[in-house]
Amino acid sequence: MSAVSDADLLNTVYTVAPEFTTMNDSDVLQVMDLAKLFVSEKKFGKFYSVALADYTAHLLTLRAETANSGGMSATLTSGGIVSESEGDLSRSYGAANTGGFGNDLLSKTVYGKAYLQLLKLVIVPVRTRMG
């Protein structure tokens, strides 16, 4: 059980992502409950509230994009733009990153990127004497 109240966590979400203050608190709390499954209070320690707020805002942003453009939105399913032209409009996308640590969806929103940045602060990579 978290030492931080849901009201305090909700305020942190609204501080991190003020665009969601117009949403119903119970809807944000429902998404936050999902986010709690992926954010470890033990692992994040003093950064827990911010990490949970970032992850919640990330999920809310994905939810909004899916509602606006559908689950197959190019924003969510393709890689980043690698080239763009203006005359006769041309845009090229890189392949979606399917390797690595599976963080490609987190890199689709500013909140996911902030979460990954916090993750780098608290996760110590394993090193062996071989390098």
Side-chain angles (χ1 to χ4, degrees), residues 17-40:
E19 67 271 25
F20 296 116
T21 57
T22 58
M23 287 186 69
N24 185 320
D25 287 353
S26 64
D27 290 341
V28 177
L29 285 169
Q30 188 177 24
V31 173
M32 186 189 307
D33 284 341
L34 281 175
K36 285 178 182 178
L37 298 172
F38 300 95
V39 182
S40 167

Side-chain angles (χ1 to χ4, degrees), residues 7 14 57 92 116-117:
Y14 293 151
S92 299
L116 288 172
Q117 196 63 34

